[in-house]
Structures are given as C-alpha cells and as structure tokens.
Amino acid sequence: MILTTLIILPLLGGVIALYSEKISTRLPKTITLVTLSLVLLLLLTTTLSNTLFNGDHRGQWLFDEGVIWIERLNIGAQLSMDGLSLALIILTLLVGLLALSSAWEEIKKHQGFFYFNFLWTFAGIIGVFLAMDLLLFFVFWEVMLVPLYFLIAIWGHENRRYAALKFFLFTQAGGLLMLLSIIALAATHYQETSILSFNYHTLIQSPIVAPIGQWICLGFILAFLVKLPAFPFHPWLPDAHTQAPTPVSIILAAILLKTGGYGLIRFVLPLFPDAVQFWSPVMLLLGVMSIIYGAVLAFAQHDLKRVVAYSSVSHMGFVVLGCFSLNYIALQGAMIQMLAHGLSSAALFMLVGLIQHKLHTRDLNQFSGLWQQLPNLSAMGLFFAVASLGMPGLGNFIGELLVLIGTFEQNAYFAVAASLGLILGAIYSLRLIQKSFWGPGKSNILAATVHLDKALATPSDLNIKQRATLFCIATGLILIGIYPQPILDLLQQPLMQILAVTRIEGVT
C-alpha cells in the first residue's frame, strides 16, 4: 500500500491544512511542510529498503499494487513504480519544498485554501506518475489541473482570471482528446484481442497494428504536447507563468510540464510502436521548431517571467526531439533534460519572484546593476542563467548533449537544426544577465530596495533560508552535470523495457 499512501497523504494533508487556518494562520504552511517531508521520507526509505533487500529481483517494477475499481468494465486502481516514475516523483517532492519556501512569505490571504489546492495538485501529479490504468491516469490528470486553476485565478496578478481560464481551456481540450483516445484504444484492443482492458501492462502486450492506431496515437501525442508544451500548442504557458504567483510558476515550469514528457515516454512509445515510426518526422520538426521559436521569443521579451517561460518552450523542445528520435541515447537525454530543467527553471522563477518582491517590477528596462544592490541574489541568478544556457559541467548540458548525439545518429539534419537552439539560448541568457545584473544601478530601484529591506528587517538581499534553498538546487545541477551515472543507472531498466517494446535501435 506504499504507492496508495504516497497519494493519500497529500490529500489528507490538504484537507487538514484547509481547516487548520481557523486555529492559526501559520498552521496551513506548517502542515504542508510536514506532509511533503513525510511523503519524501516515506518514499526514500521504502525504495532504499526495497533495493537493499530485493536488489534486482523485482525486475523493472519496484512496487506494483492494485485493486478492481469498476469490475464490469475491467477498470482497476492499478499503481506501479519503476525508476522512471521514482526519479520524477523525487523531483516533484523536492520542487514542492522549494515552492513552499517561496510561498512561505508571499501568500498572505486564504492560506488554508491555498495550501489545500497546493497539496491536492501534488497528489494529482504523483498519481499521474504512478497510475497504470489509463482511465485512472486520466482521473489524476484532471485532479492536478483543477486546483492549479484556483491557485492562478485567486492568488495571481492583475490578469489572473484570464490566464487561469486560458490555461484551463487549453489543458481541458488536451484532456478531452486524451479521454477519447483512451476509449478508442480500449475499443480497438477489444476488437483485436477480445479482451476489454484499460490496464497498461495488458495493453502493452498487444500493440495496435490497425491503421486507426496512427490516429489514436496522434490523439495521445497532441494531449501531451499541449502540456509539455510544444509549438504551436504553447500559448497558455506565457500568460499562466506571468500571472501566477511565484510558487505556482515554480510548479508549472518544474513539474507540470514534465507530465507531458512522461506521457510521451511511458504511453506513446510502447503502446504505438508502428504509429510512432509514422509520426516521428513530423514530431522531430515540431521539436526543432519549439527549440528555435522558444529561444527567439525569449530574446524578444522584457518581462523576466516571460523570458523564463519562453525558454521553457525551447528547453522542452529538446524533450520532444529526444522522445521521437527513436534512439536510446536521445531518450536518456530527454529524461536528464526534464530533471535538470525542473531544477534550473524552479530556481529561476524563485529568483524572479524575489526580484519582483524587492523591486516591484519584472521589466528588464526598468532596472540594471543589480549586482551592486543585491550581490547574493545576482550571483545565484548568474549561476542559474548560465546553467539554463547549457554550460558544460551542469545538468542541462548533459541532457541537451545526449539528445543531440542520439538525434544525430538517427537524423543529422534535425540535430544540426536543433543545435542552433544552443546558440540562441546563450544569446537570450547573456542578454538577461547583461540587462539585469550589470550596468549602472538606478537610484529609484536602490531606494525601493532599501525601503523594503528595512520594512522586512532583512540585513541582506537573500536570507539564510533562501540561500540554503538555492544552494541545494545548485548542488543538484552540479552533481547531475559532473556525475549523471546514478540517474542513468536508475533509468536504464525502465527505458530499455519501453524501447524494447517500441523496437528502437540502440538498446544494448
């Protein structure tokens, strides 16, 4: 019942946080901290004990549990965890603690309801990474969206309702397309095998060979590309990031986008091996277009949040490229890219939130010379901007390098085109660094900073909690960049199982 517990704990914690505000306004965030820490501790201790006592005897799946949910339709509450889902759940919980750190001082109103939605979002995300019944997967897919809508619409900035509605409509359209594809997949599978099932383990044994499989596969692909997001399904992302409060921007960029990449790897590749071969050239083109388009748009922005938001479109383009290159090395790179981008984007949004909190603006044209006024924040900003552009020795570089190597083996033209994104990424990142951290300091910004620091009684630009949080993220990026082998070992068996079913070359 360990997997069920991982989902139930955030649900219960959210309900307790909701009603605890009546006792004290500090209780909701304390309960949220305890809940996330308890879930992370439970996950790490159980997986460690499983590794120590069972070794590799459990095969691909570390944990597997389920019960019949709707017997007449053969629908089960099936949950499973392997190295792929384990890595993403650990990222989810770590980013959750980071988002909580950002929300600790920023969220002042309706704290009980905020942390209720906060924890229910994480319950839905964890469920997405564990669900092995497609209808159950769809339920969790929807569960994580509704609380996010409230988090943006209630605690966001000026145009929050417009951004929340736009986010909800785009993601719901993708969800509806996914539901129709799930039903079509189960019906087609029933026609071919006389077995009605929505279970991943059953469906993967008999991939669809009928021509309709190409269109069912496309439905899944489009649903996941909306969430990723990839060009041209990205318009919801910049507005949602810009209007969302900082902790929600962190969740969107660092975790929510990864559910799209996870869906492509977990479901699209093994369930539709023939259809994936058919759609691969089109998806590679969309991946390259996302990389270049996102980078160009990031360069053109003056709002710091929109710069980071469009850079996420560019970085997620590498994930699309890695998934549809049909190459083992490229797929490893796509996973590393998701993990590294989760850390770097979370840190960048946290820093943007701090800048807005101190200077009351995110406009690059309104400030410069931050290094003179906020040296610690600027140093951290410089590090994570450099990490985002793909500096060797940091995690983002490893992910993008593996994707390009794997893509080059399969299609050199797409690899060369995608490499332009590295150049463009360096351009917009260096522009951000130059316009914000260097140059002469502006007196009005300095005055606002000094006034705010006195009001908050903070002796420096970053307090101890913020420094520790950002230092931990930086350490994670350095470890991934210098020694990614433990993560590659964790991902090796599940990725090889998926790619063996997909009949992808390069699996050794």
Side-chain angles (χ1 to χ4, degrees):
M1 294 295 291
I2 174 62
L3 302 184
T4 306
T5 305
L6 294 177
I7 299 172
I8 290 178
L9 281 177
L11 294 176
L12 290 178
V15 174
I16 296 172
L18 176 63
Y19 291 101
S20 66
E21 187 179 15
K22 298 179 181 179
I23 302 174
S24 171
T25 56
R26 293 186 60 86
L27 268 180
K29 53 190 175 185
T30 303
I31 291 171
T32 303
L33 174 61
V34 172
T35 301
L36 290 177
S37 301
L38 183 60
V39 174
L40 181 60
L41 180 63
L42 178 64
L43 176 66
L44 295 178
T45 54
T46 51
T47 51
L48 180 61
S49 63
N50 179 73
T51 303
L52 291 176
F53 292 104
N54 295 306
D56 296 329
H57 301 297
R58 295 291 298 272
Q60 176 187 353
W61 302 102
L62 303 174
F63 300 98
D64 189 26
E65 59 191 46
V67 296
I68 294 296
W69 181 17
I70 304 175
E71 185 174 2
R72 184 176 182 85
L73 298 177
N74 196 24
I75 299 173
Q78 183 72 36
L79 302 174
S80 301
M81 177 191 287
D82 60 1
L84 176 62
S85 49
L86 173 61
L88 289 171
I89 293 175
I90 291 176
L91 173 68
T92 298
L93 295 172
L94 292 177
V95 170
L97 292 172
L98 170 63
L100 176 62
S101 173
S102 180
W104 202 271
E105 301 295 338
E106 180 174 340
I107 304 302
K108 301 294 184 182
K109 65 176 183 178
H110 310 306
Q111 293 190 35
F113 191 51
F114 176 88
Y115 290 108
F116 167 81
N117 287 289
F118 186 89
L119 285 173
W120 275 56
T121 297
F122 281 94
I125 293 173
I126 294 173
V128 163
F129 292 142
L130 294 178
M132 288 294 117
D133 184 280
L134 291 183
L135 280 182
L136 182 64
F137 175 82
F138 174 76
V139 169
F140 285 121
W141 188 266
E142 296 300 302
V143 166
M144 69 179 178
L145 298 180
V146 177
L148 272 173
Y149 169 82
F150 288 115
L151 289 173
I152 299 173
I154 297 176
W155 291 273
H157 301 300
E158 297 82 9
N159 296 321
R160 57 186 180 274
R161 290 181 178 84
Y162 165 78
L165 182 61
K166 190 174 182 179
F167 160 76
F168 192 74
L169 290 177
F170 266 86
T171 52
Q172 282 299 101
L176 176 60
L177 187 59
M178 181 195 298
L179 178 60
L180 295 176
S181 301
I182 290 173
I183 296 173
L185 172 62
T188 306
H189 183 266
Y190 177 75
Q191 291 177 350
E192 293 184 351
T193 64
S194 299
I195 299 175
L196 179 61
S197 178
F198 295 88
N199 189 287
Y200 172 84
H201 302 299
T202 302
L203 294 172
I204 202 175
Q205 300 299 321
S206 305
I208 294 178
V209 296
I212 194 176
Q214 294 179 357
W215 302 106
I216 299 175
C217 174
L218 182 61
F220 277 96
I221 291 174
L222 295 180
F224 294 133
L225 290 185
V226 169
K227 189 62 64 66
L228 201 61
F231 174 86
F233 309 102
H234 67 285
W236 64 268
L237 181 67
D239 290 317
H241 274 313
T242 303
Q243 300 303 322
T246 302
V248 180
S249 293
I250 292 173
I251 296 172
L252 286 173
I255 306 175
L256 191 74
L257 308 189
K258 310 309 178 289
T259 60
Y262 171 81
L264 293 175
I265 296 172
R266 173 70 76 197
F267 296 105
V268 172
L269 295 183
L271 290 177
F272 307 97
D274 296 325
V276 165
Q277 303 279 346
F278 177 80
W279 292 114
S280 175
V282 178
M283 296 304 127
L284 288 175
L285 179 61
L286 286 182
V288 172
M289 292 176 66
S290 297
I291 293 170
I292 297 176
Y293 176 86
V296 171
L297 266 290
F299 176 80
Q301 304 305 309
H302 297 288
D303 187 313
L304 276 174
K305 268 195 172 184
R306 295 183 79 89
V307 173
V308 183
Y310 278 111
S311 74
S312 295
V313 175
S314 182
H315 290 304
M316 290 298 99
F318 282 98
V319 176
V320 177
L321 204 66
C323 291
F324 289 97
S325 292
L326 308 184
N327 178 277
Y328 180 53
I329 296 176
L331 196 60
Q332 284 182 313
M335 277 301 304
I336 293 292
Q337 175 73 351
M338 285 198 287
L339 297 175
H341 177 265
L343 296 177
S344 61
S345 64
L348 284 172
F349 274 112
M350 180 178 179
L351 288 167
V352 171
L354 290 172
I355 290 174
Q356 182 179 11
H357 182 64
K358 292 177 178 296
L359 308 184
H360 307 290
T361 181
R362 299 190 306 261
D363 191 343
L364 282 171
N365 295 323
Q366 297 299 317
F367 58 88
S368 64
L370 286 184
W371 200 289
Q372 304 173 28
Q373 307 162 28
L374 306 170
N376 296 321
L377 186 150
S378 300
M380 285 295 183
L382 176 62
F383 174 86
F384 289 111
V386 169
S388 180
L389 67 84
M391 176 65 70
L394 300 176
N396 300 70
F397 171 77
I398 297 297
E400 293 172 357
L401 177 65
L402 291 175
V403 168
L404 290 176
I405 291 175
T407 304
F408 189 84
E409 291 183 0
Q410 300 301 108
N411 194 312
Y413 296 106
F414 283 116
V416 171
S419 65
L420 295 176
L422 301 179
I423 301 174
L424 295 173
I427 292 174
Y428 70 71
S429 296
L430 293 175
R431 170 181 175 267
L432 183 149
I433 292 171
Q434 189 272 331
K435 289 183 70 68
S436 56
F437 303 137
W438 308 127
K442 295 190 176 181
S443 58
N444 61 325
I445 297 298
L446 180 59
T449 304
V450 172
H451 173 73
L452 189 58
D453 282 347
K454 288 182 179 179
L456 296 175
T458 54
S460 63
D461 52 338
L462 289 179
N463 59 37
I464 296 177
K465 175 171 67 76
Q466 293 162 350
R467 291 181 191 177
T469 301
L470 293 169
F471 179 79
C472 290
I473 301 174
T475 302
L477 286 173
I478 294 172
L479 290 176
I480 295 175
I482 294 178
Y483 188 53
Q485 194 59 47
I487 298 177
L488 296 177
D489 291 340
L490 179 66
L491 299 173
Q492 180 180 7
Q493 192 168 18
L495 291 183
M496 289 184 68
Q497 292 288 343
I498 291 172
L499 301 186
V501 175
T502 316
R503 302 190 296 274
I504 289 180
E505 298 178 1
V507 180
T508 57

